[in-house]
Amino acid sequence: MDRYLRFVLKYPVPVLAAIITITIGLGFGIPRLKFDNSIEVMMPKEDREYIYYKKIIETYGNIGKFIVANTTADSVWTPRFFAALDNMITDLEEYKSFDATREQARLKKLDALLAGKEVTRKQILGRFSDDPPFQRTLARAMDRLFGNADTLGQWGMRSLRRDMARSYRLKKKELIDVILSPLTAKDISGKDDTLSAVDLVEKDDDDRRILPKSDKDFAAFEKKLRHNPSFKAALYAEDPATGKITGFGLHLRLKDTKDMGEISDEIWRLLKSYDGQLSVTPHGIPIVTKFMNDYMMHDLKTFLPLVLLVVIIVFFLNFRTPRGVLLPFATLVIADIWIMGLMGFLNIKLNMISTSLPTLMVAVGSSYSIHILNQYYIDLTTIMKIEKREGLRRSIAHISVTVLLAGITTFFGFLSLATNQVTGIREWGITSAIGVLFAVVIATSLIPAMLALLPQSALSGRFILTRTGGKDSRRETWIDRAVRLFSKLAVNHSRAVVAVFAAIAVISLIGVSMIKVETSVLTYFKKDDYIRSSIPEIRKYGGAMGMNILVDSGQRDGIKDPAFLRELDRISEWLRLEKNRDLYVSRADSITNIVKTMNRAMHNDDPAYYRIPDSATTIREYFEIFSGNDSDFDGRIDEFESLLDEDYRTAMIFAKMTSPMDNFLYTSDLQVILDKVESHLRKTVPKPYSTRITGDPRIIIALSSYVVKGQLLSLLFSLMVVLIIVILLFKNWKAGLVSVIPIGFAVTVSFGIMGWFGIRLDSATAIIAGITIGIGIDDTIHFLNTFRHFRERRLSVDETIRKTLSISGKAIIYTSLALVMGFSILVLSNFKPIILFGMLVSITMTATTLGALLILPSVIKATGVSLEKSKSKSKFWKYFYIGRFFNFD
Amino acid sequence: MKRMIICVASIIAGAGVLYALTGREIMEKSDALPDPASTESRAVMKIYRNGALKETKEFQMYSKKYGQDSRVLIRFIRPTKIKFLTHSYKSREDLQWLKTSSGKPKKIVGSDSGKPFVLSHFFYEDLKGREIDDYNYTLRGEESIPGGECYKVEAAKKSGDKVYDRIELFVRKSDYFVVRVNFYQKGKLLKFLTNYDIKSIDGILTPLRMVMSLPDGKGKTEITVTSVKHNIPVNDSLFNKGTL
């Protein structure tokens, strides 16, 4: 460390140039950052449930990722409403079926139009008057990009062209798998010995839908809708009081993609562009994820600068010097740029957990830089007496070792999370470990280099030394008084302090036992948020989530056996029984609906034949003559794909789930529901049939288990790593035990508060423990190393505690104060995880500060534990004592 | 529902006729190849997916010409007992019926041209008779393929149901028989049909094996003719809806 410091102080300009160059280079990675808050980001990829879920998606399509939208208006039976609905669906169809020739021709035509110096909106739209879907795409893009601007200059034209190229690329992916709506649905009719598979809305020779226009048309259309019982609460919603149709359902199933965010955004914008013509209320997991991404992006943009501003203000109030503000600030900003830029280049997406990284960088960056600056100001008198760079070296060398130690301990603590099964936490562990290293490197390079270059005379304010009667003195602040109080309490009332904090820890532990785990993302939203307030609209279509029950017939073509289909029917009916209302299953669809519809059609639409035929051959024939496309030639008509596998062996029952009237289903509710269904299936489904439940509820439950077990185990593992490092560093096992007390206390208090105040443990709040370790160990190492430093100078324990607190204590308080104030700003957010995050980080900061400044010295004093280096000559210490690398000897 | 097949018969009876005419003259020569007045045949259909045989079906087929009109009956023997009957008219829309093993004959309304025939890789469109005047033809050169030296003719449908953007017919130079057809959808090769074991049976060029394959090699449907007779007496009652 000393050699490194000499190098930095000798070559400050090249060092700064290198930092700036790396910062600029990595800065280019930041625009590449993408958000991904899908549940899959969290799930361990090797999890059996997850592997099964992915396998099922390959076979049955992306079963959980669908958007449901209620489309309505004052009256839905108007030509205007139908025209708008038709346009909207036509626009969506462009993302389902990509026509390369058409799209290329559009772009070519657009390029020709944008070749001039400027172009008006009217000219652009007029040029595509023969292509209404693309005209609407352009109008949407211009509304979004330019608002009401009528004329596009060079920049505008380039932006529009870029946006259309983006739209082209997105359409090419054909990410919408299925569009189900009253305008695209088909039905089978078999009256008068005539079998017809008809679109509910037919098309003309130019492939345009022939929309109902007159009252007579509307009546005929309504009759078609009501003809098929399975259309109710799927294609249309009724007013429960009058029975009148009040809205139409639009269901979009998306393909399994890693870029769910982009297509969800596009669909949302497309649907909402029809507001005014009709009212659209989209919902479903892709929309929820989109909202989460948007909120996080918004909050990151809005609140991170605010947090930084508050931190700067607190820095200023503490140090009262420009360098006291700018150097820590530069450290944490650069650390943020490095880690976020690196993530961008490595294509690591931001999610609910990794969004905490900028915050973490602010925390550790502040801490490392404040400790260094604090030491610098303390040693300023000495520095001023000798040659500046030598003075800086002597002052910073010791604190840099402490910073390095704290950094390394935190690094390994975080890196240990790489063993976590939850993918998001694992990624967080690795990136935060790297980020911590970045912060250490920047703090120990940037600050000494800058101090070497800056003139000493620039100092002023709180730490300016005034010569009074030949003695150094400083103005006493409330921080000095607080530190003195802590010293007094630790030295004189250590047992009482330990007893009080032990009591707090016990109360917190009771709280910990009350913690509820929640991985349902709906809990992230406030009650008045769109995501929650729109639930009643979606309840009309049976909800936006469901469980998938796979029923295996045990043999190829087993689905064609009537006995098996009847078993499917029995399960579906049981799910919807009145006595099973607590399952919240609104409808349960399976292949039997199609077989029954076919059977009825083959018997002149006689309702008595809406049942499963008795002959296996007949069922097989129905599958073969069913009118539908088989786009991927896998032997299943597209309509069957989500309902059965290619071998016609395993059928899927999709049980759509709604929720209690004024709430949503918590993870614990889902667990109860799945347990009940599984128990029933186990008892009633005859051999050789077998069943298995998958889908989002199953994944949410599995994830919840990982969050609890995985995260808490990782936490213990991190603490173990910290414990071992401290033992090996201080050559004293008691030092290790003592070091985990303040962190353990802070973690217990954080979780205890969550338990007492009903804050549920989820993927986002679970990470607070990690941050606690990061900051907690930092404070602890600073205390312990400074304690060791003075203790080795043969000061008494009391004196060592006083001295240690007067140096490290202040720096710890400065850091904590800045961060507590900074993160308190986050409670102004609209997004619950961010509010809770801000709140919990602030609590954690306070707890770790108290842990390091009050509990740690009190425990040392009360137990009389010696932190001196072991005198043992054993081979173990010969090989494993790592303090020697940090000049502890 | 399933539109009646008129021309599995055409394939079996002489696929050269099926894809008649190209750069007009070539296709006219192909169209002029002898056409049977009636056919009785039996065939096995094997459906392969991902390299594995998934299903085997067997059917009988009867066809008969009535002037410019024609009638075709396809009767599946195993594993199902479905019957498809088509009355095809030169001057009006075709009539189609199907009958399952347990139901009454049902008249089929609506177009299924682009939909799979009994879940195979053939579309109903592929099995239909094609009128030479329904297409515009362009000669795209000559190519040597496993079936022999061929003219490559591109055909684009003028009107009606356009299941494919275009098709490419490989017409053998030696006898103007169509040995391969490429089918394009949305600008991409969707699948291709290859005729094998082309023999002259009762004076009619007849492929005894037809394979509709996907370009990625992941699936194909193979129809093998196990017996075929042309120009033999076929009872008219077979084509009666009432006797289905």
Side-chain angles (χ1 to χ4, degrees):
Chain A
M1 195 68 219
D2 192 49
R3 261 185 295 176
Y4 177 71
L5 203 57
R6 282 176 197 274
F7 175 81
V8 172
L9 292 169
K10 191 173 177 186
Y11 304 107
V13 175
V15 166
L16 289 175
I19 291 174
I20 292 167
T21 309
I22 297 171
T23 308
I24 292 169
L26 288 175
F28 284 111
I30 293 178
R32 294 172 178 228
L33 277 173
K34 284 184 181 168
F35 278 89
D36 186 355
N37 275 304
S38 60
I39 202 159
E40 286 85 352
V41 172
M42 301 296 156
M43 271 306 280
K45 301 292 177 281
E46 63 282 4
D47 175 75
R48 282 172 56 194
E49 279 299 338
Y50 182 72
I51 292 169
Y52 183 68
Y53 180 60
K54 293 305 265 188
K55 202 174 127 201
I56 292 304
I57 286 175
E58 272 176 31
T59 306
Y60 297 88
N62 204 5
I63 47 181
K65 302 293 173 291
F66 59 90
I67 294 173
V68 187
N70 182 31
T71 55
T72 187
D74 291 340
S75 168
V76 294
W77 301 112
T78 65
R80 186 171 180 269
F81 177 85
F82 271 80
L85 187 60
D86 179 43
N87 287 343
M88 190 167 80
I89 291 167
T90 305
D91 293 352
L92 288 167
E93 282 168 338
E94 299 213 338
Y95 297 85
K96 179 176 182 285
S97 180
F98 181 71
D99 186 334
T101 315
R102 181 186 63 196
E103 293 298 335
Q104 282 159 10
R106 283 171 169 178
L107 287 186
K108 205 172 161 188
K109 197 168 162 184
L110 183 66
D111 282 343
L113 189 64
L114 300 181
K117 283 186 177 170
E118 63 174 36
V119 64
T120 65
R121 185 187 173 94
K122 201 174 167 187
Q123 282 171 324
I124 294 172
L125 297 181
R127 187 77 179 83
F128 289 93
S129 56
D130 57 341
D131 184 0
F134 194 60
Q135 194 185 41
R136 291 192 291 271
T137 305
L138 285 164
R140 274 196 300 275
M142 288 191 284
D143 283 346
R144 180 165 50 87
L145 296 171
F146 318 117
N148 294 326
D150 192 47
T151 306
L152 272 61
Q154 290 291 326
W155 175 84
M157 289 193 288
R158 267 200 304 276
S159 300
L160 183 62
R161 180 63 178 78
R162 241 190 336 262
D163 199 62
M164 287 305 105
R166 181 197 59 78
S167 170
Y168 175 92
R169 284 193 299 274
L170 195 58
K171 285 178 184 173
K172 197 174 175 186
K173 293 179 186 169
E174 297 184 332
L175 290 174
I176 297 183
D177 194 20
V178 176
I179 300 176
L180 182 64
S181 75
L183 302 192
T184 54
K186 293 169 190 289
D187 198 10
I188 305 165
S189 172
K191 276 186 179 171
D192 305 324
D193 285 334
T194 300
L195 193 64
S196 54
V198 287
D199 295 326
L200 292 189
V201 175
E202 288 176 16
K203 289 185 171 178
D204 62 16
D205 286 344
D206 294 321
D207 212 31
R208 282 194 293 248
R209 280 181 276 269
I210 305 164
L211 300 174
K213 289 193 173 81
S214 63
D215 288 348
K216 195 179 155 194
D217 294 343
F218 290 135
F221 181 71
E222 185 173 352
K223 197 175 169 190
K224 280 186 193 174
L225 273 177
R226 292 189 186 274
H227 173 257
N228 191 327
S230 64
F231 289 168
K232 186 178 171 183
L235 297 187
Y236 65 89
E238 280 180 350
D239 180 333
T242 63
K244 284 184 177 170
I245 291 178
T246 55
F248 295 123
L250 173 65
H251 307 253
L252 308 172
R253 199 176 75 186
L254 305 182
K255 286 184 185 161
D256 194 21
T257 172
K258 288 181 177 170
D259 289 322
M260 190 67 77
E262 194 179 7
I263 186 68
S264 305
D265 270 345
E266 191 87 344
I267 291 173
W268 171 266
R269 282 198 295 265
L270 192 158
L271 296 180
K272 296 313 276 183
S273 72
Y274 283 88
D275 271 349
Q277 299 175 64
L278 40 80
S279 164
V280 200
T281 320
H283 213 288
I285 288 172
I287 297 295
V288 174
T289 309
K290 176 209 145 44
F291 266 71
M292 284 165 65
N293 291 347
D294 287 355
Y295 282 152
M296 283 168 57
M297 176 77 89
H298 172 265
D299 282 6
L300 210 56
K301 281 182 182 167
T302 312
F303 290 109
L304 191 60
L306 269 179
V307 169
L308 291 174
L309 182 69
V310 173
V311 167
I312 287 178
I313 293 170
V314 181
F315 282 168
F316 179 75
L317 291 176
N318 284 333
F319 289 113
R320 304 279 170 101
T321 67
R323 71 185 62 181
V325 171
L326 293 176
L327 292 183
F329 182 69
T331 304
L332 57 93
V333 168
I334 292 173
D336 259 341
I337 293 173
W338 283 23
I339 191 62
M340 302 308 276
L342 186 72
M343 284 175 72
F345 280 121
L346 297 180
N347 201 24
I348 299 172
K349 291 180 181 167
L350 280 173
N351 54 50
M352 190 62 75
I353 293 177
S354 53
T355 312
S356 65
L357 275 172
T359 317
L360 183 75
M361 289 300 102
V362 170
V364 294
S366 306
S367 168
Y368 299 153
S369 50
I370 285 180
H371 278 287
I372 293 176
L373 268 181
N374 184 52
Q375 190 68 45
Y376 163 73
Y377 284 124
I378 286 169
D379 296 336
L380 193 56
T381 330
T382 322
I383 297 170
M384 288 175 82
K385 283 177 188 163
I386 55 176
E387 194 269 325
K388 186 170 80 173
R389 293 187 187 191
E390 178 54 23
L392 282 172
R393 190 193 64 75
R394 285 187 200 172
S395 167
I396 298 175
H398 169 72
I399 192 67
S400 292
V401 168
T402 316
V403 165
L404 183 65
L405 284 177
I408 286 174
T409 319
T410 312
F411 172 82
F412 283 109
F414 285 160
L415 200 63
S416 66
L417 292 176
T419 57
N420 195 295
Q421 289 173 301
V422 180
T423 313
I425 294 177
R426 196 164 56 222
E427 277 182 6
W428 188 90
I430 296 167
T431 44
S432 60
I434 296 171
V436 165
L437 279 194
F438 283 169
V440 171
V441 170
I442 295 163
T444 54
S445 310
L446 177 85
I447 296 175
M450 284 298 290
L451 290 176
L453 293 175
L454 289 171
Q456 302 279 25
S457 57
L459 298 168
S460 65
R462 181 162 305 228
F463 284 92
I464 282 240
L465 307 175
T466 51
R467 298 227 164 239
T468 47
K471 287 183 179 176
D472 293 347
S473 71
R474 303 174 191 141
R475 271 181 291 161
E476 190 179 71
T477 66
W478 71 268
I479 290 178
D480 294 305
R481 287 194 291 276
V483 167
R484 222 177 35 244
L485 176 68
F486 287 151
S487 303
K488 200 173 161 186
L489 287 171
V491 171
N492 302 329
H493 307 283
S494 60
R495 287 175 192 278
V497 170
V498 171
V500 168
F501 281 101
I504 295 173
V506 169
I507 294 167
S508 299
L509 275 173
I510 298 168
V512 172
S513 68
M514 294 190 289
I515 279 191
K516 284 186 179 162
V517 182
E518 185 56 63
T519 38
S520 166
V521 291
L522 289 178
T523 54
Y524 293 158
F525 299 92
K526 287 180 174 176
K527 265 198 168 169
D528 56 351
D529 190 278
Y530 170 84
I531 290 296
R532 286 179 70 172
S533 63
S534 58
I535 288 176
E537 285 300 292
I538 297 313
R539 194 181 278 116
K540 293 174 184 169
Y541 300 95
M545 182 170 72
M547 63 178 137
N548 305 83
I549 304 171
L550 277 300
V551 189
D552 185 352
S553 67
Q555 60 177 332
R556 201 181 136 84
D557 284 335
I559 287 176
K560 295 166 186 171
D561 179 356
F564 178 77
L565 290 178
R566 283 192 201 103
E567 185 58 28
L568 284 184
D569 240 10
R570 188 197 63 75
I571 296 169
S572 300
E573 278 163 18
W574 179 83
L575 289 165
R576 286 170 299 175
L577 287 177
E578 183 59 26
K579 67 170 184 177
N580 292 328
R581 276 177 62 187
D582 55 350
L583 298 177
Y584 292 102
V585 171
S586 55
R587 53 183 298 152
D589 295 317
S590 75
I591 190 68
T592 60
N593 297 358
I594 291 176
V595 173
K596 287 191 277 189
T597 304
M598 271 297 286
N599 196 41
R600 187 183 63 175
M602 293 301 283
H603 292 87
N604 281 336
D605 281 358
D606 181 350
Y609 283 89
Y610 190 75
R611 60 175 172 81
I612 292 156
D614 296 326
S615 154
T617 306
T618 304
I619 293 166
R620 183 185 280 266
E621 288 168 350
Y622 286 172
F623 283 128
E624 295 202 353
I625 63 175
F626 187 87
S627 176
N629 294 315
D630 179 11
S631 312
D632 53 3
F633 293 102
D634 68 350
R636 296 175 296 171
I637 298 300
D638 293 348
E639 281 91 334
F640 301 170
E641 287 204 350
S642 59
L643 303 170
L644 46 79
D645 66 346
E646 289 175 24
D647 286 337
Y648 287 70
R649 172 184 168 140
T650 306
M652 161 105 72
I653 298 173
F654 182 57
K656 239 180 174 188
M657 294 165 80
T658 174
S659 57
M661 277 311 282
D662 57 345
N663 216 328
F664 47 82
L665 293 170
Y666 289 104
T667 307
S668 49
D669 301 326
L670 292 173
Q671 180 71 67
V672 170
I673 290 170
L674 261 61
D675 284 350
K676 183 172 174 181
V677 176
E678 270 175 343
S679 163
H680 172 77
L681 295 175
R682 213 169 25 246
K683 284 180 200 156
T684 60
V685 173
K687 297 277 179 204
Y689 308 150
S690 59
T691 59
R692 185 162 175 179
I693 300 176
T694 187
D696 279 311
R698 169 66 78 217
I699 297 297
I700 287 170
I701 291 167
L703 182 60
S704 138
S705 155
Y706 280 112
V707 168
V708 183
K709 289 181 200 157
Q711 172 63 3
L712 294 183
L713 280 176
S714 290
L715 178 66
L716 287 177
F717 192 40
S718 292
L719 285 176
M720 285 298 291
V721 169
V722 166
L723 179 102
I724 291 166
I725 290 177
V726 173
I727 290 173
L728 300 182
L729 195 62
F730 287 86
K731 206 176 174 182
N732 184 323
W733 64 272
K734 287 176 190 164
L737 289 179
V738 162
S739 72
V740 295
I741 291 174
I743 312 171
F745 173 76
V747 171
T748 311
V749 167
S750 296
F751 283 126
I753 287 175
M754 286 171 69
W756 280 109
F757 289 93
I759 301 168
R760 290 173 188 246
L761 180 67
D762 56 32
S763 310
T765 47
I767 210 67
I768 296 295
I771 292 179
T772 311
I773 291 178
I775 299 158
I777 194 59
D778 192 68
D779 292 347
T780 306
I781 293 274
H782 276 288
F783 181 91
L784 288 180
N785 199 32
T786 312
F787 186 90
R788 180 193 64 83
H789 180 75
F790 288 114
R791 195 77 177 105
E792 280 176 2
R793 276 154 188 72
R794 299 289 155 207
L795 295 180
S796 70
V797 171
D798 291 359
E799 196 52 33
T800 307
I801 289 174
R802 281 191 200 102
K803 197 91 174 153
T804 304
L805 286 180
S806 74
I807 294 172
S808 298
K810 271 193 280 193
I812 291 170
I813 293 177
Y814 292 146
T815 311
S816 301
L817 194 64
L819 299 180
V820 169
M821 303 283 277
F823 290 118
S824 301
I825 296 283
L826 295 181
V827 298
L828 299 176
S829 167
N830 277 318
F831 196 35
K832 273 170 79 178
I834 304 285
I835 298 172
L836 294 176
F837 184 78
M839 229 168 69
L840 290 170
V841 168
S842 300
I843 291 167
T844 296
M845 296 286 173
T846 311
T848 51
T849 306
L850 288 175
L853 301 187
L854 203 47
I855 304 176
L856 196 54
S858 298
V859 168
I860 291 171
K861 170 74 180 167
T863 58
V865 61
S866 161
L867 300 181
E868 282 177 28
K869 213 163 56 185
S870 166
K871 302 272 190 301
S872 168
K873 301 277 183 202
S874 81
K875 280 191 175 175
F876 176 83
W877 290 119
K878 187 180 171 188
Y879 294 115
F880 292 103
Y881 170 52
I882 56 175
R884 73 172 77 98
F885 302 117
F886 301 97
N887 300 329
F888 271 34
D889 294 324
Chain B
M1 199 37 51
K2 300 297 180 191
R3 180 169 175 141
M4 196 47 228
I5 304 107
I6 186 153
C7 274
V8 168
S10 299
I11 293 173
I12 294 168
V17 183
L18 178 62
Y19 299 109
L21 300 188
T22 62
R24 189 81 185 181
E25 289 175 358
I26 297 165
M27 293 314 293
E28 276 173 359
K29 283 179 187 285
S30 184
D31 193 41
L33 290 170
D35 206 7
S38 64
T39 297
E40 183 183 325
S41 61
R42 195 173 174 123
V44 173
M45 175 190 274
K46 289 184 173 175
I47 302 172
Y48 296 83
R49 301 189 204 280
N50 295 318
L53 175 63
K54 289 287 180 178
E55 197 159 15
T56 304
K57 301 170 195 279
E58 192 169 3
F59 60 89
Q60 290 172 313
M61 192 170 53
Y62 306 88
S63 70
K64 192 169 183 177
K65 282 197 168 183
Y66 292 84
Q68 288 189 313
D69 303 332
S70 58
R71 293 178 185 184
V72 177
L73 170 70
I74 296 177
R75 190 160 68 190
F76 277 86
I77 301 164
R78 68 181 171 107
T80 61
K81 308 286 182 193
I82 308 168
K83 292 175 187 171
F84 292 98
L85 174 64
T86 300
H87 290 185
S88 189
Y89 302 101
K90 172 87 176 169
S91 51
R92 61 184 169 104
E93 284 287 301
D94 297 354
L95 292 176
Q96 303 173 323
W97 295 266
L98 73 78
K99 185 186 172 302
T100 57
S101 53
S102 58
K104 290 196 293 182
K106 303 290 283 188
K107 187 179 173 188
I108 305 171
V109 182
S111 170
D112 278 332
S113 302
K115 288 163 187 169
F117 173 64
V118 290
L119 301 177
S120 72
H121 295 87
F122 285 90
F123 288 169
Y124 285 87
E125 172 80 2
D126 308 333
L127 308 170
K128 275 183 187 173
R130 290 190 168 89
E131 291 297 326
I132 192 165
D133 293 333
D134 287 351
Y135 292 83
N136 291 319
Y137 300 95
T138 316
L139 180 61
R140 293 289 182 203
E142 298 175 10
E143 216 168 286
S144 179
I145 62 169
E149 283 292 316
C150 294
Y151 297 110
K152 188 176 169 185
V153 180
E154 186 178 295
K157 204 169 182 180
K158 291 175 186 170
S159 61
D161 272 355
K162 290 177 185 170
V163 175
Y164 306 111
D165 307 340
R166 62 190 169 95
I167 55 176
E168 281 172 358
L169 300 111
F170 292 79
V171 185
R172 198 154 63 182
K173 281 183 173 178
S174 57
D175 54 11
Y176 293 96
F177 193 83
V178 175
V179 290
R180 176 177 163 133
V181 188
N182 290 344
F183 300 91
Y184 290 86
Q185 220 176 44
K186 293 181 192 172
K188 283 191 282 193
L189 178 63
L190 180 72
K191 56 186 186 176
F192 59 94
L193 173 75
T194 315
N195 289 322
Y196 297 98
D197 302 336
I198 301 155
K199 297 213 168 115
S200 176
I201 295 171
D202 303 323
I204 310 288
L205 281 174
T206 309
L208 296 180
R209 194 159 67 91
M210 289 142 283
V211 183
M212 183 67 88
S213 311
L214 300 181
D216 60 8
K218 286 186 177 170
K220 65 178 181 181
T221 295
E222 185 179 285
I223 297 176
T224 306
V225 178
T226 51
S227 70
V228 59
K229 290 177 194 161
H230 296 304
N231 299 321
I232 51 153
V234 176
N235 194 335
D236 288 342
S237 67
L238 275 175
F239 306 110
N240 188 338
K241 171 203 144 191
T243 57
L244 268 182

